[in-house]
Amino acid sequence: MAQSSVKTRIKDLLQDITVDNIAIGQFATDAAKEIINVLPIEMLWSISTFTPDLNGAGASITSSRILYAARNSLRAVEIDAANASRATDSNSIYFATNESPVFYKEGGKVYIKPVVSSGNDARVHHVNYPTITFDSDLSTAGLVGAPDEIEHLVILKTAVKARLSELNEYQDDTEEHNLKLQDLQLLQAEYQMALTTFIGSSGKKEAE
């Protein structure tokens, strides 16, 4: 996809957009977070990263969707932080072993048990929520590595949010308000169809 800013791509959809640049950036940032949260985990691998839990100090994870945690390539099972001490109690059902690791979230960190004393073999895999501005190019900033379909969803959702915001400005102009409302409904339908199609196409690929 050719490089272009978020605002340029939004104007291609809305043309007469009246919201300011700061609002466009916030709408895009919120849209990206919502889409990251709603997509199945298996569709986010291209934009995921990992943070290691080194020596049991915990992996600092902020403003991200956690996909999973693993120790030595074995998926860890999440337990409640209230049961953290039981992860080292051999008499507990929450006891963590090399073959059955666990993890818990507490204080902005993710802890994986048993502790890995060296290397980065205790990993928390996650997708960072991007901060997007009106002049961002999603292919090189914010959603680096994302397939075109995810970029398109972010643009559509941003357009929906922008048009929805504009409705409040035209409460006293019935004709203009109705036109923008119709436009909003079309955008919402297009977004929902694009989201459903994208998720559905991924499921078909896995089945093949």
Side-chain angles (χ1 to χ4, degrees):
M1 180 176 290
Q3 295 183 355
S4 59
S5 70
V6 169
K7 184 174 183 178
T8 298
R9 294 172 67 177
I10 294 301
K11 289 179 70 175
D12 288 342
L13 291 173
L14 301 181
Q15 298 181 5
D16 61 342
I17 185 172
T18 61
V19 295
D20 60 32
N21 291 339
I22 294 177
I24 291 175
Q26 187 59 58
F27 293 151
T29 296
D30 293 343
K33 182 176 182 179
E34 291 176 23
I35 290 166
I36 287 171
N37 284 341
V38 76
L39 288 178
I41 288 177
E42 60 270 16
M43 301 184 73
L44 298 171
W45 66 270
S46 65
I47 55 175
S48 68
T49 185
F50 72 85
T51 300
D53 175 7
L54 298 174
N55 299 313
S60 295
I61 307 292
T62 58
S63 192
S64 301
R65 177 184 176 185
I66 295 175
L67 303 182
Y68 64 94
R71 181 184 185 279
N72 291 332
S73 297
L74 291 174
R75 191 181 186 115
V77 175
E78 183 174 9
I79 64 172
D80 193 285
N83 291 313
S85 63
R86 298 182 180 181
T88 56
D89 180 358
S90 59
N91 294 316
S92 170
I93 60 172
Y94 298 105
F95 181 57
T97 67
N98 292 337
E99 292 73 28
S100 301
V102 301
F103 78 95
Y104 60 90
K105 297 174 286 190
E106 187 173 41
K109 291 187 175 183
V110 178
Y111 298 87
I112 300 175
K113 303 294 181 181
V115 171
V116 173
S117 59
S118 62
N120 60 2
D121 290 328
R123 303 178 176 183
V124 181
H125 296 258
H126 56 97
V127 174
N128 294 322
Y129 298 131
T131 298
I132 302 172
T133 60
F134 75 96
D135 56 352
S136 293
D137 171 11
L138 295 183
S139 66
T140 58
L143 290 171
V144 177
D148 290 347
E149 291 89 346
I150 291 181
E151 287 189 29
H152 183 56
L153 287 172
V154 171
I155 295 301
L156 281 174
K157 190 67 172 180
T158 302
V160 167
K161 290 178 178 293
R163 192 55 98 206
L164 184 60
S165 175
E166 289 178 325
L167 287 180
N168 295 325
E169 301 176 17
Y170 293 92
Q171 293 292 343
D172 298 327
D173 186 339
T174 302
E175 182 178 357
E176 188 65 22
H177 183 274
N178 288 339
L179 287 173
K180 290 186 180 297
L181 179 59
Q182 292 173 10
D183 197 21
L184 171 63
Q185 292 170 337
L186 290 173
L187 285 168
Q188 289 174 323
E190 184 177 354
Y191 168 76
Q192 193 58 53
M193 180 177 293
L195 178 63
T196 301
T197 300
F198 182 40
I199 293 177
S201 65
S202 177
K204 288 179 181 178
K205 290 178 181 178
E206 290 184 1
E208 292 177 351

